[in-house]
Amino acid sequence: MQEKDVIVEVKDLVKTFDGRTVLDGVNLKLRKGETTVIMGGSGCGKSTLLRHIIGSYVPDSGSITIFGKEITSLEESEFDKIRKKFGMVFQNSALFDSMNVEDNLSLALREHTELAEDIIKIMVKMKLELVGLRGFEKLMPSALSGGMRKRVGLARAIAMDPEIIFYDEPTAGLDPIVAGVIDKLILDLGKKLQITSIVVTHDMKSVFSVADRIAMLYEGKVIAEGTMEEIKHSKDPRVQQFITGSPDGPIKFFMDSGGYLEELTK
Amino acid sequence: MLSFVSAVGSVVLGTLAHVGGVFKLLVQTLFWLVIGPFKKKPPSRKNIFAQMVFSGVNSLIIVFFVALFTGIVLAMQSAYQLAQLGAVMYVASLVAVSMARELGPVLTALVVAGRVGAAITAELGSMKVTEQVEALQSLALNPVRYLVVPRFLALVIMLPCLTIFSDLMGMLGGYLVGVFNLNINSGMYINITLKFLTLKDIYTGLIKSVFFGMIIALIGCYMGLNTKGGAEGVGRATTVSVVTSFILIILSDCVLTGIFYFSNM
Ligand SMILES: Nc1ncnc2c1ncn2[C@@H]1O[C@H](COP(=O)(O)OP(=O)(O)OP(=O)(O)O)[C@@H](O)[C@H]1O
Ligand SMILES: [Mg+2]
C-alpha cells in the first residue's frame, strides 16, 4: 500500500497546566482521507490535544504541522488561511448564543466568501438536512436540546466544506439512532469527499464503525496506534481493558483501597 | 518579610501584565480598524450598527436623567454662592461651562462604563467560558476584529454624541432653575450662556469623551476576553472591569484637564 500524504503531524507535544503534565510527548500522523479515532479515559487530554491542533493553546514544547506548515510559530493571519480549511466540532457545541441556528451556520460563509445571500441560505439548509435539523433555522441555541446543539455544532463545522474536521465526542449524549446517522455522516464525509478527520470518542460502537486508524491516549502519550484490526488484536492489556470496558486491569480507576482508607481516616 | 515582598512583587507583575495586555489589545484593535478594510476585512457594518444602538441610543434615558438633575443641582448650589456676590445671573455660564468642560463628559462616561462596559465584559466573558471565542477562532474569525472593533468604534463614536446630549440636558436643568426659581429672564439666561461658553469648552470635553470611550471599550473587552472560571469568573470580571474603568476615567480626566490647563486650552 502506498503511503498517502501526511496532512497533520504532531511531534513530541508537551503541555503542562499549573505543574500538571497533561500531554507528555504526543506523536500522531493523519493521512489524507483517513479517519483517526482518538480513544482515552476521561480527562486524559484528548480535548486539550485538539485545542493545540486548532491553535487555541500554545504547546510548551513540540511541533504541529498542518499542510506542511509549522503552526506553533505561525502568524495569526497565516494561520487563519489554514483554519479556513478545517472545521471543529466542540465537545460542548460552543454555539454562538446571540445568533439563531441559521446565522451560526452562515457566519463563516458570509465572512469568508462572496456568495449571495440566497445561495448561503440554500447551503445552510443542506447542511442542516445532513444532521436532520432542517426547519430549525430560526431557533436560538438556548431553545435547543443538548443533542440538537451538538448536531448544529457539527453542521457549523462542515459549513465551509473543510478538508479536515476535528470531532470532539460528536455522538456523546445522542440517542442510538441519531448517533448512528452521525457516524454514517462522518464515514461518508471521509470516504466520498476524502476529508481527513480526527474523532474523539468513548463510544466503542462508533469507534469501530468510523475508524480507519485508532490511537489510544494514556497518561499524556499515544500508547497504541494502528488500524482497527491491529488495535482489536493488540496485546497491550491497557488497550484491551479500554475496548472491553472492564473495571479490572492495568488502568486503575480507584486508588488502592489501603490508601483510600488512610485518606478517609486521616 | 520575604513573603510580603514577594506578594507585593507578584501584584505589581500581575498589574504590569494586564497593562501590557490592554496595550496589545489597543494595538490589535487599531490594526484591524485601519489596516483591516485594505485587506478586504472591514469590521461588519451590522455589528457596528447594533453596538451603536446598544451603547448609544439605549443609554439616552439614563444620561438624560443624570445630566438634567446634575444641571439642576449645580444651578442651585452655585446660586447659593453667587447670591452672596450679587451675581446670580452668572449661574448660567457656570452651569454651561462646568457641564461642557467637566461634568458632561465625566458623568456620561461613568454612566456608560456602568451600563455598557459591564455588559460588554459580561457578554464576552460568557462567550469566553463557553468556548464561543475559541469557536470564532476556529472559523478563522479573529476575535479582536469580530468582537472588539465594533464595540470600540461604537463607543468612540457614541460617547461624544452622548456627551453633547448630556451637556445640553445639564444646561436645560440649569435653565429651569434659573428661569423658574431665580427669576432670570429667559433670553438673558441664554445670552449669558452663549457669551461665556466658548467652542474650546465644548471640544476639550469632547476630546476627553473620546478617550473615555476608548477606555471603556478596551477595559470591557480585555476583561471579558480574559475571563476564567465559569459563571463566577464572569461576575468577577464584570466587577473588575467597571471598577478599573471608573478609576482610569477619573485618572485620565485629571491628566487631560492638566494638559488642557497648562497648555492654555
Ligand atoms: N485551561 C486549563 N487549565 C488547567 N487545566 C486544564 C485546562 N484545560 C484542560 N486542563 C486539564 O487537562 C486535563 C485534560 O483535559 P481534557 O479536557 O483534554 O480531557 P479529555 O480527555 O477531553 O476528557 P473528556 O473525555 O472528559 O472530555 C484535565 O485534567 C484538565 O483538568
Ligand atoms: Mg474532552
Side-chain angles (χ1 to χ4, degrees):
Chain A
M1 200 179 79
Q2 140 211 22
E3 284 277 284
K4 290 185 203 148
D5 300 344
V6 175
I7 302 275
V8 179
E9 182 166 13
V10 178
K11 255 196 209 141
D12 301 321
L13 188 66
V14 176
K15 182 69 175 182
T16 305
F17 287 115
D18 317 317
R20 207 153 42 94
T21 303
V22 174
L23 300 177
D24 188 14
V26 173
N27 287 292
L28 196 66
K29 271 187 192 161
L30 305 187
R31 294 193 175 74
K32 190 165 173 54
E34 281 184 351
T35 302
T36 305
V37 167
I38 299 181
M39 323 188 293
S42 187
C44 74
K46 304 180 297 294
S47 302
T48 305
L49 175 60
L50 287 188
R51 288 210 178 96
H52 279 89
I53 300 178
I54 66 168
S56 323
Y57 287 171
V58 180
D60 295 342
S61 68
S63 79
I64 301 167
T65 14
I66 304 181
F67 296 119
K69 286 218 174 79
E70 164 65 48
I71 61 158
T72 43
S73 56
L74 212 54
E75 237 183 83
E76 202 61 16
S77 59
E78 286 296 309
F79 199 169
D80 276 349
K81 284 187 194 144
I82 295 177
R83 282 185 174 126
K84 282 182 202 167
K85 295 189 202 163
F86 66 58
M88 166 95 185
V89 181
F90 285 85
Q91 188 167 5
N92 304 313
S93 313
L95 301 182
F96 304 122
D97 287 333
S98 58
M99 303 177 196
N100 65 19
V101 170
E102 185 173 36
D103 289 341
N104 261 283
L105 266 65
S106 51
L107 180 63
L109 290 167
R110 284 203 190 109
E111 294 283 335
H112 296 315
T113 69
E114 312 266 293
L115 295 173
E117 200 56 25
D118 43 349
I119 297 188
I120 291 180
K121 275 214 161 65
I122 294 171
M123 290 179 73
V124 168
K125 274 208 170 61
M126 283 162 56
K127 303 297 177 194
L128 282 177
E129 171 73 26
L130 285 178
V131 296
L133 285 176
R134 192 158 52 88
F136 289 88
E137 284 91 343
K138 296 295 172 217
L139 261 63
M140 295 304 279
S142 54
L144 301 175
S145 78
M148 287 159 84
R149 294 169 64 100
K150 189 141 250 178
R151 285 185 279 159
V152 174
L154 204 163
R156 182 179 69 184
I158 59 176
M160 288 277 288
D161 296 319
E163 293 171 42
I164 316 174
I165 308 180
F166 307 108
Y167 304 88
D168 199 346
E169 309 201 7
T171 55
L174 299 182
D175 69 69
I177 298 172
V178 176
V181 172
I182 298 294
D183 282 345
K184 182 156 180 309
L185 179 65
I186 295 175
L187 206 59
D188 282 352
L189 289 170
K191 290 287 154 320
K192 293 186 188 147
L193 302 175
Q194 284 294 297
I195 290 174
T196 313
S197 46
I198 300 188
V199 183
V200 168
T201 183
H202 296 301
D203 181 353
M204 279 305 140
K205 194 163 146 275
S206 202
V207 173
F208 291 123
S209 67
V210 301
D212 292 312
R213 299 183 74 81
I214 299 176
M216 177 149 171
L217 203 58
Y218 181 68
E219 292 189 338
K221 289 195 176 64
V222 175
I223 54 164
E225 207 268 332
T227 61
M228 191 154 32
E229 289 306 309
E230 284 165 11
I231 294 291
K232 252 186 196 166
H233 302 115
S234 163
K235 296 271 182 309
D236 193 323
R238 293 171 298 187
V239 177
Q240 282 306 326
Q241 188 194 350
F242 201 84
I243 293 175
T244 55
S246 147
D248 302 310
I251 304 176
K252 289 276 183 286
F253 181 72
F254 300 108
M255 280 193 234
D256 290 337
S257 49
Y260 184 46
L261 201 66
E262 256 168 39
E263 211 167 279
L264 281 180
T265 53
K266 196 162 54 183
Chain B
M1 185 61 205
L2 207 64
S3 72
F4 173 74
V5 171
S6 78
V8 171
S10 75
V11 168
V12 170
L13 284 182
T15 312
L16 282 181
H18 285 309
V19 172
V22 172
F23 192 72
K24 199 172 144 208
L25 185 63
L26 172 66
V27 171
Q28 286 173 338
T29 308
L30 294 179
F31 172 84
W32 283 110
L33 204 59
V34 178
I35 313 287
F38 293 105
K39 292 174 106 188
K40 288 200 173 174
K41 292 241 174 279
S44 123
R45 285 221 190 103
K46 203 174 121 209
N47 279 0
I48 296 175
F49 183 73
Q51 289 301 325
M52 282 170 83
V53 170
F54 171 70
S55 57
V57 179
N58 296 352
S59 300
L60 279 175
I61 294 183
I62 178 158
V63 170
F64 167 76
F65 279 112
V66 170
L68 183 76
F69 289 117
T70 304
I72 291 175
V73 170
L74 201 57
M76 294 192 296
Q77 296 282 28
S78 50
Y80 165 74
Q81 294 262 312
L82 290 170
Q84 295 171 354
L85 303 172
V88 169
M89 58 190 169
Y90 291 109
V91 164
S93 54
L94 198 144
V95 170
V97 172
S98 19
M99 280 310 294
R101 289 191 83 108
E102 183 63 31
L103 291 172
V106 173
L107 288 180
T108 310
L110 293 180
V111 165
V112 170
R115 205 188 85 87
V116 181
I120 288 176
T121 306
E123 189 185 359
L124 299 197
S126 63
M127 286 185 76
K128 175 71 199 282
V129 299
T130 55
E131 299 179 322
Q132 291 175 56
V133 175
E134 259 176 77
L136 266 183
Q137 246 174 343
S138 81
L139 294 173
L141 293 169
N142 186 295
V144 174
R145 176 175 86 85
Y146 193 77
L147 298 173
V148 180
V149 170
R151 288 167 173 80
F152 182 85
L153 206 55
L155 274 169
V156 169
I157 295 171
M158 290 319 267
L159 199 59
C161 296
L162 286 171
T163 301
I164 292 176
F165 176 72
S166 151
D167 291 351
L168 289 173
M169 291 307 112
M171 291 177 210
L172 175 68
Y175 175 87
L176 294 178
V177 174
V179 172
F180 295 106
N181 177 259
L182 304 173
N183 296 321
I184 303 172
N185 174 285
S186 165
M188 169 105 143
Y189 189 98
I190 294 174
N191 257 339
I192 294 185
T193 300
L194 293 180
K195 192 173 160 211
F196 284 91
L197 186 67
T198 61
L199 207 56
K200 259 181 204 166
D201 297 329
I202 298 176
Y203 75 67
T204 51
L206 293 185
I207 290 173
K208 281 182 182 177
S209 75
V210 170
F211 277 93
F212 298 158
M214 287 162 74
I215 290 173
I216 298 169
L218 282 177
I219 299 297
C221 291
Y222 177 79
M223 292 299 167
L225 290 177
N226 287 287
T227 303
K228 288 199 181 76
E232 195 196 331
V234 176
R236 206 177 321 119
T238 308
T239 312
V240 174
S241 158
V242 173
V243 171
T244 312
S245 290
F246 272 34
I247 294 173
L248 288 180
I249 286 170
I250 301 292
L251 205 70
S252 63
D253 180 45
C254 178
V255 172
L256 288 169
T257 308
I259 291 174
F260 294 143
Y261 179 72
F262 288 112
S263 64
N264 287 321
M265 274 169 99

